[in-house]
Amino acid sequence: CDSVLPVTMKVQQEYIIPIVLLALYIRICISFAPHSGQGKRPLFGDYEAQRHWQELTVNLPVEHWYTNTTQNDLQYWGLDYPPLTALHSKLLGHIARSINTNWTDLFESRGEESYEHKVFMRATVLFSEILHLGPLFALLYPSNNLGALVLLAVTPAQPLIDHGHFQYNCISIGLTLCAVLALAKHRVCVGSALFTLALNYKQMSLYHALPFFFYILGPRYNSISGIKEIIKIGATVVLTFAVCWIPFISTAGDVVVRMFPFNRGLFEDKVANFWCSLSVLVKVRDMFERVTLVRMALFLTVLSVLPSQILLFRNATPAKFILALTNSALGFFLFSFHVHEKTILIPLATVLLLYPGGGKSSGNGGKSSGKSSGNGGKSSGKSSGNGGKSSGKSSGNGGGDVNLAAVWFQVIATFSMWPLLVKDGLPVMYLSGLGLYTTLVYVLCKHQDVRGVLMFVLSVVGCLVLHGLEVMVEPPARYPFLHQLLCALYSAAHFGGFFCYFNYLQIQ
């Protein structure tokens, strides 16, 4: 079966509003749950970090935002994201101050957790979802597959972090997806500017930088007109960077140091990547100096992502672009230096585009995708997966297999963040959100290959077994974080398998 739903279940326009409302309803429900660090003095959590940045940016001159001073203790949630995050915090801070000055009083507002303030903060994330859900629906709607859009509406991982734990990942991810949409519409300079904004909002957007570079460069480097276009695109990128960084010229060094905190170590907590898994057997953090670990991580990261980028450079089609984005981000997550468990949202952002019809929507039709990538219309149409049979050829194993892998990845990505969500008081939201999602996945994907569905079911059973062990078995005193480690190892094994699989698909 080439689609998750039977071909008779097409997307009608009247379905769109209910699906969008469903997505918003789920996010609103999650926002009633506790947030990161709620009531946990003295540092609280990410909710307080976001509030504190609003406090800093509306009270201090820009030169002090990233610098340790008597009024800005960097040990208390100092800014560690690029300039656009700081400017966004300043905007929200002025809005907060206009509502209640107590919310942004310097020093006095620390730990602000009033009900009214929570409503304001939750509303800012919900409003920001427009930037995230908009391009996702725009990219997937042309696939004409109702199952894809329903699964997109109930996807649990990103809402649990942004609307539960509390962050604004939807902005950086949304800007990246807007850039993908702009490239699909042949607006290359616009797409370049949007992705540059994503880089300047969160530095983890670097995970997607190489695919953007090679996808734009591939069809243009070998002609005079293409080189002229590259110069134009480069000027757009430089100008966008300049606009974001001009206010921070005098403290640019401090900003860069805060953005890349190599002093924090190889990984944090029990993250489901290569380094944390390796440390179970080999204590690499004790064996090597920090500089050596940085070089090792850089080497393995480049080694893991470069093959997919070379393939993209040689065959720059929209479908290969989405796979290259996924492979690059997943390679960075698995092998780069100092990765958080929440960073899995970066590769997950483009895995969503591998839901049913992802290849088709990213290309916007055979001829247009050929134009976008610089290849002939017919060949690009086939590679980008337009139409039922060609979509199957594009994936290498049939469209259904790619779809099942994409939704399976969502399940494991959410499971990998279980220890963090428990710490934040979000287990009920996790279980209900993931339960709803996995149920829909099983219903919608039961038409697929029996072996693939069986593997998915066994994988979910493994997650349930680990949850059961955590409830019933007390960890030994010598290994108090045993259950968190088992969760990380189980998830890392899956991510390694997905990384190999998505790279295999790109080779096809």
Side-chain angles (χ1 to χ4, degrees):
C1 181
D2 284 331
S3 61
V4 166
L5 283 176
V7 293
T8 55
M9 297 191 68
K10 304 278 179 124
V11 178
Q12 305 297 329
Q13 287 188 354
E14 57 265 27
Y15 294 158
I16 297 301
I17 292 179
I19 291 174
V20 172
L21 290 177
L22 174 63
L24 294 176
Y25 174 74
I26 288 173
R27 285 153 176 78
I28 292 172
C29 289
I30 293 174
S31 69
F32 284 98
H35 55 72
S36 170
Q38 183 167 312
K40 297 179 181 179
R41 297 179 179 274
L43 289 177
F44 302 95
D46 275 346
Y47 178 93
E48 169 63 10
Q50 301 290 341
R51 189 217 58 80
H52 179 60
W53 296 346
Q54 297 172 23
E55 169 196 345
L56 290 178
T57 53
V58 299
N59 286 290
L60 302 181
V62 66
E63 294 82 10
H64 294 174
W65 290 359
Y66 290 90
T67 305
N68 198 58
T69 66
T70 55
Q71 293 184 308
N72 182 18
D73 179 10
L74 293 180
Q75 297 303 310
Y76 186 84
W77 299 114
L79 267 165
D80 53 5
Y81 286 141
L84 200 57
T85 289
L87 296 173
H88 176 241
S89 297
K90 184 176 179 67
L91 173 63
L92 296 182
H94 281 297
I95 298 173
R97 173 175 281 183
S98 69
I99 300 172
N100 189 329
T101 57
N102 294 332
W103 293 351
T104 56
D105 283 345
L106 195 62
F107 298 119
E108 299 300 322
S109 60
R110 289 190 176 185
E112 172 65 47
E113 291 183 334
S114 65
Y115 175 79
E116 293 78 10
H117 185 258
K118 289 179 184 178
V119 171
F120 166 74
M121 294 289 277
R122 294 296 197 188
T124 61
V125 182
L126 191 64
F127 182 78
S128 302
E129 276 287 357
I130 297 172
L131 198 62
H132 178 232
L133 290 176
L136 273 176
F137 277 102
L139 285 161
L140 289 184
Y141 177 74
S143 68
N144 203 27
N145 192 299
L146 183 61
L149 298 181
V150 171
L151 289 175
L152 180 62
V154 301
T155 179
Q158 179 267 334
L160 284 169
I161 295 301
D162 280 10
H163 300 274
H165 175 86
F166 198 88
Q167 283 191 331
Y168 293 95
N169 295 290
C170 52
I171 295 181
S172 59
I173 292 173
L175 286 168
T176 299
L177 293 172
C178 284
V180 173
L181 180 60
L183 292 183
K185 301 287 187 181
H186 326 306
R187 305 294 296 275
V188 182
C189 285
V190 173
S192 301
L194 287 167
F195 181 66
T196 304
L197 291 176
L199 286 173
N200 281 284
Y201 192 86
K202 277 199 173 183
Q203 60 269 42
M204 282 75 76
S205 297
L206 281 167
Y207 289 15
H208 288 141
L210 286 176
F212 272 92
F213 175 77
F214 285 112
Y215 182 66
I216 291 172
L217 180 66
R220 297 174 176 85
Y221 77 99
N222 58 355
S223 68
I224 298 298
S225 60
I227 291 174
K228 289 180 179 178
E229 193 175 358
I230 290 172
I231 294 173
K232 182 180 177 181
I233 295 166
T236 301
V237 171
V238 171
L239 180 61
T240 308
F241 263 108
V243 170
C244 294
W245 280 80
I246 281 175
F248 303 88
I249 289 298
S250 62
T251 57
D254 293 331
V255 178
V256 173
V257 169
R258 293 294 299 169
M259 285 170 53
F260 300 101
F262 291 113
N263 60 328
R264 293 186 185 177
L266 184 58
F267 57 87
E268 195 163 298
D269 295 329
K270 301 296 184 288
V271 61
N273 73 350
F274 170 78
W275 296 110
C276 181
S277 303
L278 179 64
S279 294
V280 175
L281 301 175
V282 182
K283 305 301 180 184
V284 289
R285 290 188 292 185
D286 299 331
M287 295 174 59
F288 301 101
E289 297 283 338
R290 183 190 307 153
V291 174
T292 304
L293 289 174
V294 171
R295 291 171 179 168
M296 290 168 59
L298 177 62
F299 173 77
L300 282 182
T301 303
V302 172
L303 187 65
S304 67
V305 304
L306 200 56
S308 63
Q309 307 316 305
I310 293 174
L311 288 172
L312 178 64
F313 179 73
R314 297 177 61 184
N315 186 19
T317 66
K320 302 299 184 184
F321 178 45
I322 300 304
L323 286 167
L325 286 167
T326 302
N327 290 327
S328 175
L330 195 49
F332 269 88
F333 176 82
L334 288 170
F335 300 107
S336 63
F337 190 91
H338 191 72
V339 172
H340 292 263
E341 63 273 75
K342 300 183 293 292
T343 314
I344 194 60
L345 296 180
I346 306 298
L348 182 59
T350 49
V351 168
L352 293 177
L353 299 180
L354 298 177
Y355 276 15
K360 177 181 177 181
S361 63
S362 66
N364 276 340
K367 291 183 180 180
S368 63
S369 61
K371 182 178 179 182
S372 172
S373 63
N375 297 315
K378 292 183 179 179
S379 62
S380 183
K382 291 180 181 179
S383 63
S384 62
N386 295 300
K389 293 183 179 180
S390 61
S391 178
K393 292 177 182 179
S394 168
S395 67
N397 272 342
D401 288 342
V402 176
N403 300 337
L404 181 58
V407 296
W408 189 354
F409 188 96
Q410 172 75 233
V411 172
I412 299 301
T414 308
F415 172 75
S416 72
M417 296 185 290
W418 165 252
L420 172 68
L421 298 173
V422 169
K423 186 164 60 175
D424 291 340
L426 296 168
V428 173
M429 291 298 173
Y430 163 88
L431 292 172
S432 56
L434 197 55
L436 172 63
Y437 184 82
T438 51
T439 300
L440 284 173
V441 168
Y442 178 75
V443 170
L444 299 175
C445 295
K446 64 183 179 181
H447 303 286
Q448 294 191 27
D449 176 66
V450 174
R451 184 176 61 178
V453 174
L454 179 60
M455 291 174 63
F456 169 74
V457 170
L458 291 175
S459 174
V460 173
V461 169
C463 296
L464 294 175
V465 168
L466 290 177
H467 284 321
L469 287 174
E470 185 172 357
V471 172
M472 296 183 292
V473 179
E474 190 74 20
R478 186 179 177 184
Y479 304 107
F481 302 107
L482 176 63
H483 294 302
Q484 292 89 327
L485 181 61
L486 290 175
C487 176
L489 292 174
Y490 188 75
S491 302
H494 279 78
F495 293 146
F498 285 126
F499 181 66
C500 295
Y501 180 67
F502 290 138
N503 271 276
Y504 166 75
L505 291 185
Q506 192 177 343
I507 294 172
Q508 301 306 299

